[in-house]
Amino acid sequence: MNIDEYMTDLGRRARAASRAMARASTAARNAALESVAVAIERDRAALTEANARDLARARDKGHDAAFIDRLTLSDKALNTMVEGLRQVASLADPIGEISGLKFRPTGIQVGQMRVPLGVIGIIYESRPNVTIDAAALCLKSGNAAILRGGSEALECNTALAKLIGEGLEAAGLPQDAVQVVGTADRAAVGKLITMTDYVDVIVPRGGKSLIARLMEEARVPMIKHLDGICHVYVDDRADLAKALAICENAKTHRYGTCNTMETLLVARGIAKDVLPVLARAFQAKEVELRVDPAARAVLEAAQIGALVDATEEDWRTEYLAPVLAIKVVENLDQAIEHINEYGSHHTDAIVTEDHDRAMRFLREVDSASVMVNASTRFADGFEFGLGAEIGISNDKLHARGPVGLEGLTSLKYVVLGHGEVRQ
Amino acid sequence: MNIDEYMTDLGRRARAASRAMARASTAARNAALESVAVAIERDRAALTEANARDLARARDKGHDAAFIDRLTLSDKALNTMVEGLRQVASLADPIGEISGLKFRPTGIQVGQMRVPLGVIGIIYESRPNVTIDAAALCLKSGNAAILRGGSEALECNTALAKLIGEGLEAAGLPQDAVQVVGTADRAAVGKLITMTDYVDVIVPRGGKSLIARLMEEARVPMIKHLDGICHVYVDDRADLAKALAICENAKTHRYGTCNTMETLLVARGIAKDVLPVLARAFQAKEVELRVDPAARAVLEAAQIGALVDATEEDWRTEYLAPVLAIKVVENLDQAIEHINEYGSHHTDAIVTEDHDRAMRFLREVDSASVMVNASTRFADGFEFGLGAEIGISNDKLHARGPVGLEGLTSLKYVVLGHGEVRQ
């Protein structure tokens, strides 16, 4: 069987399984999740051995320490998987809810029912925990999944897939509801992202380069996350204490996350009150500051040096590092304009005590998450109360921002009649 | 300026205008719609003349009568446009609504705000009324639009666009919020559907061949409508009178619409009670019947002839004509299986008095609109109470089924804090 036939077969099985999943009871789906948790606990040793073989091969290939670290299925990672499965099982079932059912003048009732999307393709890199996380979310939301992990994690992923199959079977659900692509051949990905008959959506979990590569070729819609060039705008009606706490948290809580602030915008009217204090706090944590001329003037007047001149490129850069771009703007309008022009429509916050300005920022900043007086670091499925997160979406259609179980569902129209016909 | 530069310029202007539209008041958007209505009434003569020039050219090119008919901007069509503009103005504003605002344990409040998508590209064929319909819906929902109509309607579309621009200006809104592509060059479409920086969604309005062509090349997401292979399944617990009324209406109310029944499925247990009566009714209206062997047996036993044997191809065909495929199935399971396998996930109905079967059909049939005891002909934005319809979507992501104003919007997360930071 060539790779094309192999993937088509996987797709066909997934489509058939998705139909069984769509009608599976809440109890059966939760029972499957619990069975997988029990099986992982039982087979810890075997999973660790499979992972050890993957690790040995990765070391032979000369992968670096960071890579090996991501690939490692530690005891702690196993515990987190098991907890994750039980946590997802405990979430409310998103499927079947009928909303907005209203009578129409013709006598019919029209509403919308939440249903699974169908078949979800997950493409991820070396972390084996994604196999369980993604499978759990797809299964809970009544979907079938085709998982394509990094080729370096193949043994471990295959072992995990076997346990998932076992859990599905124990709950009376089709084993094909979660399939792992069992080949390292790259052509498998090319096929997966173009099988529109068998795959309803692709969720890539990985870096910007993976996503960019997939975007070129995909014909199946993607729920995708590109970069996070997040801004905090400190308005001249900001509360100083809030501004300092939020900016420091947004930049320095973690440097490598997509919801970290990369550009700080400060209103001219408040710059001299805010910038020197903040700059000292950032420099104490060794954050490099790249500033525009107005910010430089304010900082130098306060005897703060070691500043780098920001270039046009800085406004468009996601540093993911202890580097911050700083710009002084005239007012709210200029801040919004800058964010919409240079940002990545991910997460942006305003610090202000002014109600009208807060509401204008919420409405006019064209980003997936917009915040008033809160740290951008809150943009996260768990912090937002989604209970789980399959990813974060930069797209405007379908799911936007952190994507939980609901992002793996769709709304269809239901019509309840009593024999009505159209006149 | 070459076509690439021309379209990029259009895109840039549309993006800038979309920002102004996103913050425009409800009153301003409604005032613009009313101004366009007034301008059309005022300029009836000039519009009719522009249309006459388009018609003359189309006749010279040898287009057929049906084409000329679609291209004609009759007095009645002008009235409908004016009424349509006022009707859209009278709809509730979908923009700005904040839903689900909840406190989180961290102290922040998280909810979702409905906002415009941004820039919408509409690609349509020869009907000039789409220029006004589509512009009205985009404008009402706070979006900017780039309209690309059929090249044969270019003079009329350009004249209409001028009036739209006038209406926008009168309401203090940017004229670039609605732009008509002013060239018949086909390369313009290729550019429009790939300018992901400037266009957020494409809504094609036209036949299956147009959509299929666009799908090949589009990089911008589409809200698209392919075919409508709609089914009615008459269950063996159906009420006979309802079954007859619904089937007749679903097939013969209009033959050429996408929500017309193309395949009738009848449960074996009720076939002899239902099929002969229905067949006589259909044959009286000269509907050709293409039947499977079981249906043939039932019909011939009732002395009904003039039957055509259905082939595998018939189950996958959208006739859009007085032709109906008929198949006898064993039960609900077989009906659902047939619909999910051969249908186009558009609209399907069950006729049954049994509650559990009705609910299973609603849940398990994987279509945009699923109905119990109602004619498939109800699948329509106006019948569903959306107030307007930009199109019907066969997709599962974002909008599914009839798409109203809400389909031209997206939900972004809003976070309201009081200085909270992430721990």
Side-chain angles (χ1 to χ4, degrees), chain A residues 94 114-117 120 141 143 201 203 223 386 390 398-410, chain B residues 396-398 413:
Chain A
R114 195 166 285 287
V115 291
L117 283 175
I120 298 175
S141 53
N143 290 289
V201 64
V203 183
I223 295 177
L386 305 182
I390 188 90
H398 194 65
R400 194 171 185 186
V403 183
L405 288 173
E406 213 173 82
L408 302 180
T409 67
S410 92
Chain B
K396 287 187 184 180
L397 267 70
H398 193 66
Y413 281 101

Side-chain angles (χ1 to χ4, degrees), chain A residues 143-201:
Chain A
N143 290 289
I146 300 177
L147 307 178
R148 211 299 183 167
S151 53
E152 295 82 2
L154 193 55
E155 282 217 40
C156 186
N157 285 341
T158 307
L160 287 168
K162 211 174 136 280
L163 300 186
I164 297 169
E166 205 181 285
L168 286 162
E169 201 180 16
L173 299 175
Q175 292 200 35
D176 288 341
V178 178
Q179 298 176 91
V180 164
V181 176
T183 163
D185 192 331
R186 280 205 164 200
V189 172
K191 183 71 183 173
L192 182 60
I193 62 177
T194 51
M195 303 199 291
T196 47
D197 281 351
Y198 301 120
V199 184
D200 296 295
V201 64

Side-chain angles (χ1 to χ4, degrees), chain A residues 44 73-81:
Chain A
R44 275 174 173 272
L73 193 61
S74 65
D75 231 45
K76 187 164 164 255
L78 281 164
N79 291 343
T80 308
M81 277 184 190

Side-chain angles (χ1 to χ4, degrees), chain A residues 215 219 362 365 396 412, chain B residues 117 215 219 362 365 412:
Chain A
M215 278 173 72
R219 304 313 296 168
L362 290 181
V365 170
K396 287 188 186 181
K412 68 180 175 190
Chain B
L117 282 174
M215 279 174 70
R219 306 312 298 168
L362 289 182
V365 169
K412 67 180 175 192

Side-chain angles (χ1 to χ4, degrees), chain A residues 15 19 21-26 29 93 95-96 98 104 106 108 110 112-113 115-119 200-201 214-219 221-223 242 245-246 249 253 259 333 336-337 340-341 345 359-375 377-386 396-398 400-404 406 409-423, chain B residues 15 19 21-26 29 93 95-96 98 104-106 108 110 112-113 115-119 200-201 214-219 221-223 242 245-246 249 253 259 333 336-337 340-341 345 359-375 377-380 382-386 396-398 400-404 406 409-423:
Chain A
R15 178 62 75 208
R19 288 178 185 154
M21 290 300 289
R23 60 174 178 265
S25 70
T26 311
R29 282 177 277 132
D93 189 354
I95 297 304
I98 296 182
R104 298 287 307 151
T106 50
I108 60 172
V110 180
Q112 287 179 297
M113 183 191 276
V115 291
L117 283 175
V119 178
D200 296 295
V201 64
L214 297 178
M215 278 173 72
E216 282 300 305
E217 286 176 54
R219 304 313 296 168
M222 279 202 275
I223 295 177
K242 290 178 191 168
I246 288 168
N249 186 261
H253 183 248
N259 53 18
D333 284 302
I336 294 173
E337 206 172 303
N340 286 338
E341 175 68 27
H345 312 289
M359 295 310 289
R360 277 198 56 204
F361 189 89
L362 290 181
R363 175 147 172 184
E364 296 177 29
V365 170
D366 186 24
S367 297
S369 300
V370 282
M371 306 186 169
V372 175
N373 295 336
S375 169
R377 287 282 296 133
F378 281 114
D380 171 286
F382 294 92
E383 294 294 339
F384 279 5
L386 305 182
K396 287 188 186 181
L397 267 69
H398 194 65
R400 194 171 185 186
V403 183
E406 213 173 82
T409 67
S410 92
L411 289 174
K412 68 180 175 190
Y413 280 101
V414 295
V415 174
L416 306 182
H418 323 77
E420 282 82 359
V421 298
R422 188 150 166 203
Q423 303 302 334
Chain B
R15 178 62 77 207
R19 290 178 186 154
M21 290 300 288
R23 60 174 179 265
S25 70
T26 311
R29 283 177 276 134
D93 188 353
I95 296 304
I98 296 182
R104 298 288 305 150
T106 48
I108 59 172
V110 180
Q112 287 180 296
M113 183 192 277
V115 291
L117 282 174
V119 177
D200 295 296
V201 63
L214 296 179
M215 279 174 70
E216 282 301 303
E217 286 176 56
R219 306 312 298 168
M222 277 202 277
I223 296 177
K242 289 178 190 168
I246 288 168
N249 186 261
H253 183 248
N259 53 17
D333 284 301
I336 293 173
E337 206 171 302
N340 285 339
E341 175 68 28
H345 312 288
M359 294 311 288
R360 277 199 55 204
F361 189 90
L362 289 182
R363 175 147 172 183
E364 296 177 30
V365 169
D366 186 24
S367 296
S369 300
V370 284
M371 306 188 169
V372 175
N373 296 335
S375 168
R377 286 281 297 134
F378 282 113
D380 172 281
F382 293 91
E383 293 294 338
F384 280 5
L386 304 182
K396 287 187 184 180
L397 267 70
H398 193 66
R400 195 172 184 186
V403 182
E406 213 174 81
T409 67
S410 94
L411 289 174
K412 67 180 175 192
Y413 281 101
V414 294
V415 174
L416 306 183
H418 323 78
E420 282 82 0
V421 300
R422 190 152 165 202
Q423 303 302 337

